[in-house]
Amino acid sequence: MRGSPLLRAVLAFLAILALGWPLHRLTTAADAPREQPKTVVAEAKTIGLRLTFTLAPKSVKVLHLGQEVWSESAPAAELKHTLKLAYPAEGIDLQFQIEWPADAPLAAMRATLTDPDGDPHEHSVWGTSSVDEVVTFP
Amino acid sequence: MLRRMKPRVLFLLSLLVLPLSALAEAKLRVSSFSTILTEIAQQVGGERVAVTAHVKPGVDPHEYEPKPTDLKTVGDAQIILLSAKHMEGYVGKLKESTGTKGTLIEVGDGFSSLKMKPEAGHEGHAHASDEDPHWWHSVANMGKATKIVRDAFSKASPADAALFAGNAAKYLAKLDALQKWTKTELAKLPRDQRKLVTSHDAFQYFAKENGFTIYAIEGLSSADQPSSKKVAEIIATIKARGVKAIFSESIKNPKVLTEITRETGAKVGGELYADGLGDGAAATYEGMFKHNVSTLVNALK
């Protein structure tokens, strides 16, 4: 069991090396930051939007996640449009910016959203002259 | 004779009038045990109330205990404002030890409660029930609280009722504007990303009003080391739900915070004000609320 000191030193070195490699792997893996958690991004789907006004506005804008997705100048009293948007189970917020004539009486807009399953959801927005309102569907 | 009497009459009249004017000058004495209610009281009462703020900004209301000086002030107060919903565990002692004849207004009991998540832990906190006492994270509740304070002040000082009504209307208009701003800001955040990981389960009212889901985590409120099993559960929850950020109000233990962010890739989203007003921009309700909303939107979008 005694063997030569050189042989014992070599064996000890090999043993340390054998242990050191997995230890190195473990510690470096722990230090490295992981990737950002993968969030499931809802797939973009076709959504129908019909806007009906009691009084035709000067302009209307629709925003989704802070970005303009549809706008019309001097629109008719009824508008229809199709949007391609992510529509998660939790629903979506649409922001409506409507400009009616300054001297116009109280007016309203009826927004009917047809979701990807074909189900309609309705909300009304009331105001005079300028309206900026967030509506949650469904 | 008449000339001689005139100064005497005037003197006697002034004796009558002086106490009346002094009475008119006397302010309504209000003791407040919430930074939020202190703001409401000052806004509604204006110059006609003297508000003593017992719980100062930055003080944890869960940990607060009245001091002897507080008791003396409460004893003299005409109105005592409390958050209620079991936030002030000392309310019984307060009544007993001060013998106050003032009216106790337990504001939070004026509207419905939301429950904290059953699995949520409250280490370091003394919630006596499973009601979430942090009702002020709903702007709608703030409106109700303002009306409760207005009515209490008007009852205690009917001569000032019109002033209180006017001041309350101005404050309610500010709250409406804040609600509108909040909806517009949160509209930038997809509704499926409104996930709030928290151990200090203080945001149930905010979550309900703004479409957030709370993942309450037990065991991270205190600076103590939570069990490795608990940390593993948290990591699994964050991974499974795809949570992008966690907030430092939720997790006070920096070691654990580092471990969770490293294992999940979630970032530290910033600090949220849970227990009331703070300093700087968060010294007002509007500032505090806007800070929380902006922090959430920036971290989660």
Side-chain angles (χ1 to χ4, degrees), chain A:
Chain A
M1 283 295 287
R2 283 180 186 170
S4 81
L6 186 66
L7 183 65
R8 279 192 286 172
V10 169
L11 284 172
F13 177 73
L14 286 173
I16 289 165
L17 205 66
L19 277 172
W21 176 245
L23 272 173
H24 172 74
R25 286 291 305 272
L26 278 173
T27 49
T28 50
D31 286 344
R34 299 282 171 97
E35 282 177 16
Q36 274 271 311
K38 282 178 187 159
T39 47
V40 182
V41 179
E43 191 188 331
K45 290 174 181 170
T46 303
I47 291 157
L49 196 57
R50 192 176 79 225
L51 307 181
T52 313
F53 300 93
T54 56
L55 177 75
K58 285 178 3 187
S59 67
V60 60
K61 274 186 196 171
V62 183
L63 292 89
H64 178 241
L65 302 178
Q67 304 292 318
E68 187 182 307
V69 289
W70 178 32
S71 72
E72 292 281 343
S73 289
E78 186 166 335
L79 297 170
K80 276 185 186 176
H81 194 66
T82 303
L83 297 166
K84 197 108 170 143
L85 299 174
Y87 196 91
E90 292 86 349
I92 60 166
D93 283 347
L94 292 181
Q95 188 178 349
F96 293 94
Q97 294 177 341
I98 311 158
E99 293 287 337
W100 275 292
D103 54 350
L106 182 68
M109 180 199 74
R110 187 91 178 141
T112 308
L113 181 144
T114 306
D115 71 19
D117 295 329
D119 296 324
H121 307 283
E122 292 187 334
H123 283 283
S124 291
V125 173
W126 290 83
T128 50
S129 67
S130 183
V131 170
D132 186 348
E133 197 166 314
V134 174
V135 176
T136 302
F137 295 94

Side-chain angles (χ1 to χ4, degrees), chain B residues 105-155:
Chain B
I105 311 289
E106 299 188 72
V107 177
D109 289 346
F111 31 86
S112 57
S113 293
L114 291 177
K115 289 188 183 226
M116 291 183 284
K117 296 273 179 190
E119 68 270 31
H122 301 97
E123 288 179 9
H125 295 318
H127 294 303
S129 83
D130 59 355
E131 279 178 307
D132 181 356
H134 309 83
W135 51 261
W136 54 88
H137 291 299
S138 149
V139 179
N141 280 350
M142 279 293 285
K144 290 174 191 166
T146 302
K147 288 173 187 169
I148 290 169
V149 170
R150 176 198 64 194
D151 293 348
F153 284 6
S154 299
K155 198 174 172 189

Side-chain angles (χ1 to χ4, degrees), chain B residues 181-182 185-186 189 193 195-196 203 206 212 244-250 267-273 281-282 287-301:
Chain B
W181 176 89
T182 301
E185 279 303 296
L186 288 174
L189 187 63
Q193 284 177 37
K195 296 164 187 171
L196 184 53
F203 294 96
F206 179 87
F212 275 75
K244 281 186 170 181
I246 50 180
F247 298 89
S248 51
E249 168 58 40
S250 317
K267 62 185 174 189
V268 179
E271 188 181 349
L272 300 177
Y273 289 93
M288 181 273 291
F289 202 85
K290 283 188 171 179
H291 167 90
N292 282 353
V293 170
S294 300
T295 303
L296 288 167
V297 171
N298 292 334
L300 297 173
K301 75 175 177 187

Side-chain angles (χ1 to χ4, degrees), chain B residues 24 51 74 87-88 101-102 122 133 160 163 170 172 213-214 228-229 238 257 264 276 296 301:
Chain B
V51 186
V74 171
M87 177 64 95
E88 296 92 354
K101 290 193 170 63
H122 301 97
D160 294 314
L163 177 88
K170 282 181 202 159
L172 288 168
T213 305
I214 290 186
S228 52
K229 185 180 168 229
I238 291 171
L257 192 67
T264 60
L296 288 167
K301 75 175 177 187

